[in-house]
Amino acid sequence: MSKTFDLIVIGTGSAGTAIALACRNAGWNVAIADSRPFGGTCQLRGCDPKKVLVGAAELTDWARRMNAKGVANPVAIDWPALMRFKHTFTDPAPARRERSYADEGIVAFHGQVRFVDRTAVAVNGERLEAKNVAIAAGAVPAPLKISGEEHVITSDQFLDLETLPKEIVFIGGGYVAFEFAHVVARAGARATIVHRGSRPLEVFDPDLVGELMTASREAGISIELDASVTAVERAKNRFVVRAKQRGTERSFTCDLAVHSAGRVPDIADLALDVAGVATTKKGVVINQYAQSTTNPAVYAAGDVADSGAPPLTPVAGHMGEVVADNLIHGNRTVAELGVVPSIVYSIPALASVGISEDDAKKRKLRYRVQRGSMADWYSTRRVGATHASFKTLVEESSGKILGAHILGPHVEEQINVIALTMRLGAPGSMLAEMLFAYPTPSSDLGYLV
């Protein structure tokens, strides 16, 4: 016997939930399934718990920066207490998400999902059939393919550490490495980032990344570049991470090795070949409507789709809305992903939106570059920060902002204001003409353009 639905959604994160709720509200009979606790990566294993830790690290760092500037007793991170606080956000989430499905009349299933036909799946031996299937299973850490990989923990496991080891090696130099390294450094641990390339955070502006590396090293974080990890070995109660760096064998001894070398779509166990769904290393091959190019009954959204979009939570949620609209009304909606800000929550944070200087040169655009240090600006000095810089690309003919890249203590909100300006198609001069409340981070924006 099998159960029949109008739609089966695979994944309970931002994209999957958006699809399921919209289709259910349209009167569809909807099932949703996940092999992991309900809630998705961002809520349980990514953005939300990470930012809780980052917030504590920022507070600690701010207090230390203000030492001798009016703050006499810098605070310290109590790691076990911080993790207990983090659990108040993550622990209730799966049950709350499941209740929300039940309240809406969405039928939820726990277990590994595998396709058994073009629009039929099996979950724990139970067969589910539907007119359409939406895949929104997210991403998982990429295989390292090294000896001793079993000794390396994932970012998921890092976010559940009850105690913080004294020495930690992060394998890979992306978001995860820098964000977690800055947290543990403020918590008193020694962090080392081992990156195989010549530059970490490759999608961000190289000049600002260089300054972030300087700030990271000043915080006590070691950064090893051009170092390809070849093996991880257990040495009594510790580990040795072995790497080849510019032809030389290197070893890094630590209490914990953390995978921070990127993620891949979580599709390996879905048996997509049975459904005739074409894939690449980047995920399900989709058309402009987020529909599988080889099985029109299947759609994909979020990190699991080969869409060319950055793997960010707002992108996943937006793509989920696009999929839902196209399922309900027929293919008519295309994702609007032209302006998507991105942030590395290091200390200081690094933010970017729009194109890079390299992209502008390759496209042979006519533009001017505004760049400079903000270290001596009032808003930076007021919080005791020493590293803050910007680079803004402005189109010559229209004055519109093509790209903005900011490093500093207030960039999370500054980049959103710039992104809104770009989305509206307004010239950057609007930021200079706007009467922002003063003194605020936004009141600095006019000087960036």
Side-chain angles (χ1 to χ4, degrees):
M1 295 292 293
S2 62
K3 296 182 178 180
T4 303
F5 299 88
D6 296 312
L7 173 68
I8 299 168
V9 180
I10 304 171
T12 57
S14 300
T17 298
I19 297 167
L21 289 175
C23 290
R24 179 57 188 158
N25 288 337
W28 288 31
N29 186 15
V30 178
I32 194 165
D34 204 324
S35 61
R36 291 176 287 185
F38 287 1
T41 297
C42 180
Q43 188 174 38
L44 303 180
R45 303 174 293 273
C47 320
D48 289 1
K50 171 194 71 181
K51 197 66 188 295
V52 171
L53 305 190
V54 169
E58 288 173 333
L59 176 60
T60 302
D61 190 68
W62 191 352
R64 290 174 182 171
R65 295 196 309 263
M66 296 300 292
N67 193 25
K69 297 181 180 71
V71 178
N73 296 303
V75 298
I77 289 178
D78 180 338
W79 188 266
L82 177 59
M83 294 305 288
R84 288 194 295 272
F85 181 53
K86 184 225 71 166
H87 281 291
T88 66
F89 293 88
T90 56
D91 288 2
R96 188 165 57 235
R97 180 63 59 89
E98 188 157 8
R99 283 196 301 272
S100 72
Y101 294 149
D103 291 344
E104 294 292 336
I106 297 169
V107 183
F109 295 86
H110 292 273
Q112 179 59 54
V113 181
R114 292 180 62 84
F115 277 90
V116 292
D117 205 337
R118 289 180 67 83
T119 58
V121 303
V123 186
N124 291 334
E126 193 166 15
R127 183 183 174 98
L128 312 179
E129 298 180 354
K131 297 175 183 177
N132 293 100
V133 180
I135 305 172
V140 292
L144 293 174
K145 299 180 181 179
I146 59 173
S147 174
E149 185 170 356
E150 67 274 13
H151 300 312
V152 182
I153 72 165
T154 65
S155 57
D156 299 11
Q157 294 166 306
F158 175 88
L159 286 167
D160 278 333
L161 289 176
E162 295 182 359
T163 58
L164 185 67
K166 294 181 178 179
E167 294 187 78
I168 303 174
V169 170
F170 294 93
I171 301 174
Y175 290 80
V176 169
F178 275 82
E179 292 171 342
F180 287 172
H182 275 265
V183 168
V184 302
R186 271 67 183 196
R190 177 173 174 79
T192 300
I193 296 172
V194 182
H195 182 61
R196 67 181 181 181
S198 59
R199 179 166 64 89
L201 298 170
E202 295 173 355
V203 300
F204 288 86
D205 180 83
D207 295 331
L208 299 193
V209 170
E211 185 170 354
L212 175 57
M213 289 173 61
T214 298
S216 301
R217 287 171 171 141
E218 289 176 2
I221 300 167
S222 298
I223 303 174
E224 301 289 343
L225 303 179
D226 297 313
S228 296
V229 173
T230 57
V232 178
E233 302 169 358
R234 179 179 286 278
K236 294 184 179 179
N237 294 326
R238 306 190 78 201
F239 300 95
V240 177
V241 177
R242 301 198 181 278
K244 182 171 287 187
Q245 186 178 42
R246 305 183 189 96
T248 301
E249 298 293 336
R250 297 287 308 277
S251 62
F252 307 92
T253 303
C254 60
D255 301 305
L256 188 69
V258 181
H259 185 312
S260 54
R263 297 167 69 82
V264 294
D266 189 9
I267 57 177
D269 297 324
L270 294 181
L272 293 176
D273 55 325
V274 175
V277 174
T279 63
T280 67
K281 292 181 180 180
K282 296 181 179 180
V284 176
V285 181
I286 58 174
N287 60 21
Q288 60 182 331
Y289 303 109
Q291 181 183 41
S292 166
T293 58
T294 55
N295 183 343
V298 174
Y299 288 73
D303 296 358
V304 80
D306 184 0
S307 63
L312 302 171
T313 298
V315 171
H318 175 63
M319 286 191 65
E321 293 169 356
V322 168
V323 167
D325 189 78
N326 289 332
L327 283 167
I328 296 167
H329 301 289
N331 290 349
R332 67 177 190 177
T333 304
V334 177
E336 294 286 345
L337 299 172
V339 181
V340 182
S342 181
I343 301 171
V344 181
Y345 289 103
S346 48
I347 304 172
L350 175 63
S352 177
V353 66
I355 66 174
S356 68
E357 191 172 8
D358 286 343
D359 288 336
K361 289 177 181 177
K362 290 176 183 177
R363 299 183 193 183
K364 298 181 179 180
L365 300 176
R366 295 180 62 85
Y367 64 97
R368 71 174 189 273
V369 178
Q370 297 280 121
R371 73 181 81 204
S373 171
M374 300 183 290
D376 289 332
W377 292 17
Y378 168 80
S379 55
T380 305
R381 292 184 58 230
R382 181 183 66 80
V383 296
T386 55
H387 290 281
S389 295
F390 72 93
K391 181 185 291 185
T392 312
L393 283 65
V394 180
E395 189 175 42
E396 290 270 359
S397 59
S398 66
K400 294 179 180 179
I401 301 170
L402 299 173
H405 314 276
I406 325 173
L407 175 76
H410 311 295
V411 302
E412 297 97 321
E413 298 306 330
Q414 289 176 323
I415 205 69
N416 283 333
V417 176
I418 293 174
L420 177 60
T421 304
M422 295 171 65
R423 180 65 181 267
L424 294 174
S429 59
M430 185 185 79
L431 295 174
E433 296 164 359
M434 176 67 189
L435 300 180
F436 289 106
Y438 178 88
T440 63
S442 296
S443 63
D444 289 336
L445 291 175
Y447 300 105
L448 272 60
V449 295

